[in-house]
Amino acid sequence: MKIIITESQYKTLIESHNKVKSFLKNTLGIDFAGRIEQITSSHDVPMVFDAFHPSTIDTWLNYFGPMYLFELDGMKYLYQDRRDFEYFIDQEGSEYTDNEIPEKLGIAEMGFNFSDILDMYFEEE
């Protein structure tokens, strides 16, 4: 199905998108602009994630798709959308699946998932 939007609808979408980003930055201090990196191979995963064998990472990438690397409060995290839930791993090997990271960011209370943050801030090259 193809959806066609008018130029004015496009401008409204962009403006609302920018307002949400501005709100997140000014109110919650969240600004991931240029700070999210896509992981498509175990070779892209930093060495601090040595708790997970590269073959495990490759299996996850093959089954669920790309992972994303970001830093929060001095800790590096990998994020992956696992279809039914959002999956996070920190550099120490701790896994998070129960909305802990969105709650830590303060976005869960607003109805946002981390995938919404990706949609706003990650720009594929």
Side-chain angles (χ1 to χ4, degrees):
M1 174 160 99
K2 209 180 249 192
I3 299 174
I4 300 173
I5 61 173
T6 65
E7 186 175 347
S8 64
Q9 289 171 320
Y10 177 75
K11 287 180 183 178
T12 302
L13 285 172
I14 295 300
E15 288 170 5
S16 66
H17 186 261
N18 289 336
K19 286 180 185 176
V20 172
K21 283 173 73 172
S22 179
F23 173 79
L24 291 173
K25 182 177 180 180
N26 296 334
T27 306
L28 301 177
I30 298 171
D31 186 11
F32 283 108
R35 296 179 41 217
I36 299 174
E37 184 180 326
Q38 188 176 44
I39 303 295
T40 57
S41 165
S42 59
H43 300 290
D44 298 335
V45 176
M47 291 300 292
V48 296
F49 290 94
D50 63 355
F52 296 92
H53 194 275
S55 65
T56 302
I57 298 288
D58 284 331
T59 300
W60 291 341
L61 290 168
N62 288 334
Y63 190 76
F64 295 108
M67 299 180 102
Y68 297 88
L69 174 69
F70 66 97
E71 190 170 322
L72 177 63
D73 297 335
M75 179 80 72
K76 291 183 189 284
Y77 292 87
L78 289 173
Y79 161 80
Q80 188 174 46
D81 183 353
R82 295 276 176 99
R83 297 179 189 105
D84 295 331
F85 60 94
E86 294 190 312
Y87 181 74
F88 298 86
I89 308 167
D90 70 21
Q91 66 190 39
E92 295 174 350
S94 298
E95 300 175 74
Y96 306 90
T97 59
D98 294 326
N99 221 22
E100 299 98 336
I101 303 302
E103 286 174 1
K104 185 175 182 176
L105 288 168
I107 61 172
E109 293 81 10
M110 298 185 309
F112 288 113
N113 292 318
F114 196 78
S115 60
D116 298 316
I117 297 296
L118 278 179
D119 291 342
M120 282 186 260
Y121 289 100
F122 180 72
E123 296 179 21
E124 248 181 287
E125 296 175 7

